């Protein structure tokens, strides 16, 4: 078999895998008809040598290993004591099902094998590629680098979009012309990171939310990574991703193997939102547990910003009572309930309920919460330890470190080497005891520092093993407590990738509950993740992170389109705000099934607006959000061009949020057409093509429109 071909929707993928030749991605792009033969593609791809370069055209391969002789790009580096570094992998065998294949490649001289596993979703065309390296030689192999796969992209793709940020500013996008040479992002933080989300978009210059060609690649991995786009001098463009390895980190004895994280890749001919919908379908259909998906996601109350470390059972009970009255369905007790954890300088690692703060244990609070009809959730940060803790005093050797080098200070805590079985067992037993002893249905699993010095017990770097150990600890907890949902948090959204989501149920999107920042952060996250996995909370009126004061109307509108929660002090908030919040929670619940299952359409708008909509899969209804994030330079804002509706149906448009809203200078179209009450009916075609004149609204406000097919 010389090739593998997969077709779905608007995409075709062809891999060249002739036995005896290097494996490569031969075609990935717009759907080809059945009449297009792969041999034809091969003939059309004939290249030549050139003066000043090799006399023959040098092939690309999935590994881009040194033996190919490519002068610009290697993505594989391994050796045995300085020898056996020049591997050249050729296909040994191929196995194929309808939606998956394994291409097994060997290099006899260096006694190495790489197995590429390709999964192809025959509905969305989302491709999963992973690779495993096997040391078939006698001596130990040192692996320095191995991209999961190297994927050629057409040179017509001129723009690179990378994802960057910092704490409380996650998922920012940077769009730039693809440089000659290399666009590269590297992450050595030991977690997914705030500053380099493991994903890239590669698009045509005119691609926007609703049209144009775009490739999306995501590395499903919660650790160090290297993401590259190489524009070779021979005119070809190669995108690659893989785990970034520290020196000596992966040493394979005879017969041992290294598994690379999976690249999840998608292609669209219809813009960024269509690409995102494919990623969302992947997360929903392939990563999330079907039982968890079937259950509505309960509205959260989280105690962090209300009490921080000031735990007091009576106060917490009162908060729970008030939360339940607002319609909250799950109460999450955050940091501060255990051991000597009265502040962030002590107690991490002591995963026993604090006698000092909870003399009767957690049970009275849990009973109170469940008695109110809510679920109970609990915060953990299992991988970490404060030096001021019984755990550290008992096992100072359990922490990651470089011997003789001072620890990098980071939130007063060290990271445990959870790749050691005794450490993982200790943590499992601690969590298991708490979960077995209480009626707990949710864990917020935090990780609040980088792994700056990820050295293990024998001095070897273990950053890669740490991620594998994190996943297996999550799986162990899930297996022992299948009813418990798990959230991945890392100082906000520093561990919000598809690797983590393979082992948990939602992610904490950001520590910023500033609704204006959240508009951008959540939009950025939505390129890859569907709304229901994004923890989105209503924070205090006076944002603790930015100091900005924002209205409840904006805060609630911003949180209610994701997995909604609240994180404010219900004992001190103004009653008018709480009444409004209650209405927002009710509105969220009313549309939750749509929001958590529908198709997301981000809309292209002027910079002073951010707009998007979630459309029911059968197009029977949709909720659109229009945030006015800055003052408008014009007297009136532009029009809202709805998206995703059926142009052959009619829709009743209603303004459903904020309640009682009135235009700055009434009457606007809202009052004239009674959109806030009865609503008005328009054809889908008119809403899509002519759009609707937006009313003038104050900056820092957000309108929600519900459209229902009539
Ligand atoms: C991290 C999380 C917060 C909160 C604190 C508790 O910063 O992102 O949501 O849980 O830790 O220490």
């Amino acid at each position: 078999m010389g090739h593998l071909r997969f077709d779905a929707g608007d995409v075709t993928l062809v891999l060249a895998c002739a036995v005896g030749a290097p494996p490569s991605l031969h075609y990935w792009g717009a759907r080809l008809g059945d009449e297009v033969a792969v041999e034809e593609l091969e003939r059309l791809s004939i290249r030549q040598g050139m003066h000043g370069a090799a006399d023959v055209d040098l092939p690309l391969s999935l590994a881009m290993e040194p033996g190919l002789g490519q002068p610009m790009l290697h993505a594989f580096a391994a050796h045995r004591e300085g020898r056996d570094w020049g591997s050249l992998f050729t296909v040994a065998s191929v196995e194929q099902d309808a939606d998956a294949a394994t291409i097994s490649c060997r290099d006899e001289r260096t006694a190495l094998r790489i197995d590429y596993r390709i999964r192809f979703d025959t509905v969305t065309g989302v491709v999963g590629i992973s690779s495993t390296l096997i040391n078939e030689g006698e001596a130990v192999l040192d692996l320095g680098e191995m991209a999961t796969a190297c994927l050629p992209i057409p040179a017509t793709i001129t723009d690179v979009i990378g994802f960057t940020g910092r704490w409380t500013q996650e998922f920012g996008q940077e769009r730039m012309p693809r440089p000659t040479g290399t666009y590269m992002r590297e992450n050595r933080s030991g977690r997914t990171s705030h500053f380099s989300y493991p994903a890239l978009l590669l698009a045509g210059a005119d691609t926007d939310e609703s049209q144009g060609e775009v490739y999306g690649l995501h590395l499903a991995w919660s650790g160090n990574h290297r993401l590259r786009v190489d524009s070779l001098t021979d005119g070809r463009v190669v995108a690659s991703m893989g785990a970034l390895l520290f020196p000596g980190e992966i040493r394979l004895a005879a017969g041992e193997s290294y598994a690379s994280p999976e690249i999840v890749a998608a292609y669209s001919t219809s813009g960024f939102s269509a690409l995102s919908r494919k990623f969302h379908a992947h997360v929903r259909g392939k990563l999330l547990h079907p039982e968890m998906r079937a259950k509505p996601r309960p509205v959260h109350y989280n105690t962090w910003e209300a009490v921080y470390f000031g735990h007091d059972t009576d106060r917490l009970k009162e908060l729970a009572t008030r939360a339940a009255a607002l319609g909250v369905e799950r109460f999450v007790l955050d940091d501060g309930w255990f051991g000597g954890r009265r502040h962030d300088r002590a107690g991490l690692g002591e995963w026993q309920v604090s006698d000092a703060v909870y003399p009767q244990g957690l049970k009275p609070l849990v009973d109170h919460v469940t008695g109110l009809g809510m679920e109970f959730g609990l915060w953990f940060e299992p991988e970490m330890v404060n030096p001021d803790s019984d755990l550290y005093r008992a096992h100072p050797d359990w922490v990651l470190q470089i011997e003789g080098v001072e620890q990098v200070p980071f939130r007063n805590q060290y990271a445990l080497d959870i790749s050691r079985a005794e450490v993982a067992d200790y943590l499992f037993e601690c969590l298991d005891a708490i979960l077995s002893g209480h009626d707990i249905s949710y864990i917020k699993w935090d990780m609040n520092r980088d792994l700056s010095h990820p050295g293990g017990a024998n001095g070897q770097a273990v950053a890669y093993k740490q991620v594998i150990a994190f996943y297996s600890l999550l799986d162990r907890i899930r297996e022992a407590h299948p009813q418990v949902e798990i959230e991945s948090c890392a100082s906000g959204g520093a561990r919000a990738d598809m690797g983590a989501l393979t082992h948990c149920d939602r992610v904490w999107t950001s520590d910023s509950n500033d609704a204006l920042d959240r508009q951008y952060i959540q939009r950025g996250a939505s390129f890859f993740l569907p709304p229901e996995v994004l923890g989105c909370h209503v924070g205090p009126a006076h944002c603790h992170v930015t100091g900005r004061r924002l209205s409840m109307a904006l805060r609630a509108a911003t949180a209610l389109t994701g997995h909604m929660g609240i994180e404010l002090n219900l004992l001190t908030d103004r009653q008018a705000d709480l009444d409004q919040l209650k209405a927002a929670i009710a509105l969220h619940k009313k549309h939750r099934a749509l929001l958590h299952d529908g198709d997301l359409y981000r809309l292209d708008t002027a910079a002073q607006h951010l707009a998007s909509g979630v459309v029911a899969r059968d197009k029977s209804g949709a909720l659109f959000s229009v945030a006015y994030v800055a003052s408008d330079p014009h007297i009136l804002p532009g029009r809202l061009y709805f998206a995703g509706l059926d142009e052959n149906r009619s829709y009743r448009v209603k303004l459903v949020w904020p309640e009682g809203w009135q235009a700055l200078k009434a009457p606007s179209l809202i009052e004239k057409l009674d959109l806030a009450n009865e609503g008005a009916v328009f054809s889908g075609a008119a809403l899509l093509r002519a759009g609707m004149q937006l009313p003038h609204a104050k900056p820092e406000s957000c309108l929600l429109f519900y459209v229902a097919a009539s």
Side-chain angles (χ1 to χ4, degrees):
M1 191 190 323
H3 65 266
L4 291 167
R5 174 175 173 165
F6 297 101
D7 298 286
D10 60 352
V11 56
T12 293
L13 180 102
V14 179
L15 286 146
C17 53
V19 170
S24 65
L25 178 64
H26 191 66
Y27 176 86
W28 182 27
R31 174 81 178 250
L32 301 173
D34 292 343
E35 72 285 3
V36 177
V38 174
E39 290 67 33
E40 194 177 359
L41 299 179
E42 282 167 0
R43 291 202 336 265
L44 284 165
S45 306
I46 293 172
R47 292 164 55 90
Q48 68 203 73
M50 184 54 188
H51 304 300
D55 291 338
V56 292
D57 177 51
L58 296 174
L60 302 177
S61 76
L62 291 177
M64 291 309 296
E65 64 278 35
L68 285 175
Q70 271 286 350
M72 280 187 78
L73 171 61
H74 290 182
F76 180 83
H79 65 93
R80 295 190 185 88
E81 300 200 342
R83 304 181 68 83
D84 295 342
W85 55 271
S87 297
L88 177 60
F89 295 103
T90 54
V91 176
S93 64
V94 180
E95 281 170 28
Q96 184 185 12
D97 308 326
D99 58 358
T102 303
I103 307 174
S104 193
C105 309
R106 276 214 159 78
D107 180 13
E108 302 291 350
R109 291 169 313 98
T110 55
L112 291 178
R113 192 174 106 211
I114 300 185
D115 289 345
Y116 289 96
R117 179 79 185 148
I118 324 285
R119 297 191 292 160
F120 188 84
D121 186 319
T122 50
V123 178
T124 59
V126 172
V127 197
I129 306 181
S130 53
S131 48
T132 305
L133 175 72
I134 302 115
N135 181 7
E136 296 189 328
E138 296 293 312
V140 169
L141 181 91
D142 266 295
L143 180 66
E145 178 174 14
M146 178 166 144
T148 297
C150 298
L151 307 173
I153 303 289
T156 47
I157 293 298
T158 54
D159 287 16
V160 179
I161 297 144
F163 290 79
T164 178
R166 63 159 168 89
W167 176 69
T168 65
Q169 285 287 321
E170 297 88 339
F171 303 106
Q173 302 109 65
E174 56 173 14
R175 182 172 188 162
M176 63 184 69
R178 176 168 52 74
T180 53
T182 305
Y183 174 89
M184 180 155 77
R185 301 198 69 88
E186 291 188 340
N187 163 36
R188 292 180 174 78
S189 69
R191 49 185 179 171
T192 317
S193 89
H194 294 105
F195 56 81
S196 176
Y197 192 67
L200 292 170
L201 301 180
L202 298 159
D206 62 348
T207 298
D208 59 25
E209 288 296 350
S210 62
Q211 60 82 38
E213 215 183 359
V214 54
Y215 293 82
L217 293 93
H218 176 108
L219 190 70
W221 182 242
S222 312
N224 297 335
H225 61 243
R226 178 176 289 131
L227 322 173
R228 299 178 64 141
V229 182
D230 287 276
S231 301
L232 306 183
T233 187
D234 68 13
R236 291 179 286 195
V237 180
V238 181
S240 61
M241 295 183 161
L244 183 152
L245 303 174
F246 278 55
E249 185 167 356
I250 302 293
R251 307 192 76 225
L252 303 179
E256 285 186 344
S257 59
Y258 162 78
S260 74
E262 186 176 58
I263 295 175
V264 178
Y267 167 80
S268 163
T269 48
S270 323
F272 300 128
S273 281
L275 185 85
S276 296
R277 292 193 289 277
K278 295 185 183 201
F279 282 124
H280 296 179
H282 177 77
V283 172
R284 288 169 170 170
K286 306 280 190 234
L287 305 190
L288 299 178
H289 269 194
E291 313 86 70
M292 296 297 182
R293 236 185 93 56
K295 181 184 161 197
R297 292 194 174 241
V299 174
H300 279 199
Y301 178 79
N302 182 291
T303 59
W304 180 237
E305 294 200 350
V307 304
Y308 291 108
F309 291 103
H311 287 218
D312 169 85
T313 305
D314 289 341
R315 193 152 161 246
L316 290 164
K317 281 184 179 171
E318 184 55 26
L319 283 170
T321 303
R322 296 200 185 194
L326 294 179
V328 167
E329 297 157 312
R330 180 185 279 154
F331 181 90
V332 181
L333 187 64
D334 211 282
D335 198 354
W337 57 268
F338 51 91
R341 185 76 167 172
R342 302 292 76 79
H343 42 68
D344 69 6
R345 297 182 303 284
L348 267 185
E350 298 168 354
W351 298 113
Q352 295 80 33
V353 179
S354 163
D355 291 339
V357 184
Y358 296 96
Q360 271 106 48
L362 277 185
K363 198 164 179 313
L365 179 61
V366 176
D367 287 349
H368 180 79
V369 166
T370 53
L372 289 163
M374 295 189 292
E375 297 180 2
F376 190 85
L378 198 57
W379 182 94
F380 289 92
E381 194 181 358
E383 296 143 279
M384 297 290 159
V385 64
N386 284 123
D388 184 0
S389 67
D390 292 343
L391 181 66
Y392 184 74
R393 282 183 281 274
H395 300 286
D397 60 313
W398 278 11
V399 302
L400 294 173
Q401 59 191 311
I402 299 178
E403 216 186 319
V405 175
E406 271 206 28
Q407 289 275 6
V408 173
F410 209 121
R411 213 191 183 207
N412 316 300
Q413 63 194 56
Y414 299 156
L416 295 167
D417 180 357
I418 62 165
S419 70
R420 285 169 67 166
E422 68 272 35
V423 181
D425 287 348
Y426 166 80
L427 295 172
F428 174 77
E429 281 154 23
C430 289
L431 269 72
D432 183 51
I434 298 280
L435 296 176
S436 303
H438 302 88
D439 184 2
I440 292 175
S441 45
Y442 178 82
I443 292 177
K444 179 175 173 187
W445 185 301
D446 214 333
M447 189 224 194
N448 284 318
R449 71 156 293 160
D450 291 345
L451 309 185
S452 312
H453 291 157
N458 64 2
Q460 213 181 335
V462 292
Y464 170 88
K465 287 192 185 136
Q466 188 84 0
V467 180
I468 302 293
F470 163 58
Y471 292 158
S472 68
L473 200 46
L474 285 171
D475 291 348
R476 222 168 136 186
I477 300 283
R478 266 184 156 187
E479 207 178 306
H481 302 278
Q483 81 292 353
V484 175
E485 279 172 57
I486 306 180
E487 170 176 67
S488 171
C489 170
S491 315
R495 202 151 65 176
D497 60 278
M498 292 189 201
L501 274 168
T502 310
H503 306 273
C504 68
D505 305 283
R506 87 164 204 171
V507 297
W508 181 226
T509 319
S510 176
D511 271 356
S512 177
N513 287 324
D514 177 303
L516 271 189
D517 284 349
R518 274 298 192 124
Q519 285 284 341
Y520 292 94
I521 293 168
Q522 292 164 200
R523 188 178 176 93
S526 81
F527 276 91
F528 302 95
L529 306 179
E532 69 270 23
V533 305
L534 301 176
C536 301
H537 291 181
V538 176
H542 187 240
C543 176
H544 292 190
V545 168
T546 61
R548 219 162 10 207
R549 293 195 75 85
L550 295 166
S551 70
M552 176 57 80
L554 174 68
R555 286 179 281 142
T558 303
L560 77 69
T561 52
H563 182 179
M564 188 179 190
I566 58 180
E567 194 153 338
L568 37 74
N569 190 344
L570 302 175
L571 306 179
T572 56
D573 252 51
R574 293 185 326 145
Q575 192 54 46
D577 276 0
L578 296 179
D579 292 344
Q580 204 175 12
L581 180 56
K582 187 172 183 178
I585 291 173
L587 185 66
H588 169 78
K589 288 182 183 170
K590 186 169 175 191
H591 296 297
R592 174 163 54 189
L594 160 68
L595 290 166
H596 291 178
D597 183 59
D599 291 330
L600 179 76
Y601 290 79
R602 287 179 305 269
L603 307 180
D604 289 306
T605 58
Q608 60 273 20
H609 303 131
L610 286 180
S612 61
V614 177
V615 181
R617 284 198 267 163
D618 64 1
K619 299 192 183 293
S620 59
L623 192 71
F624 283 86
S625 159
V626 186
Y628 293 63
V629 290
S631 295
D632 207 302
H634 310 288
I635 288 175
L636 285 181
R639 300 169 83 93
L640 175 66
Y641 293 90
F642 292 84
L645 305 178
D646 183 341
E647 59 182 27
N648 297 315
R649 288 163 94 168
S650 293
Y651 291 88
R652 179 173 295 276
V653 179
K654 282 190 186 182
L655 176 73
V656 292
W657 188 262
E659 285 185 332
W661 189 82
Q662 280 239 318
L664 266 184
K665 185 160 169 32
S668 71
L669 146 150
I670 302 293
E671 294 81 17
K672 282 199 170 169
L673 300 180
D674 199 23
L675 291 193
N677 298 299
E678 276 302 295
V681 176
F682 304 95
S683 68
L687 293 171
L688 292 166
R689 313 240 181 284
M692 181 181 83
Q693 171 61 53
L694 282 168
H696 192 104
K698 285 184 185 164
E700 304 183 354
S701 60
C702 184
L703 306 183
L704 300 180
F705 295 95
Y706 182 67
V707 304
S710 57

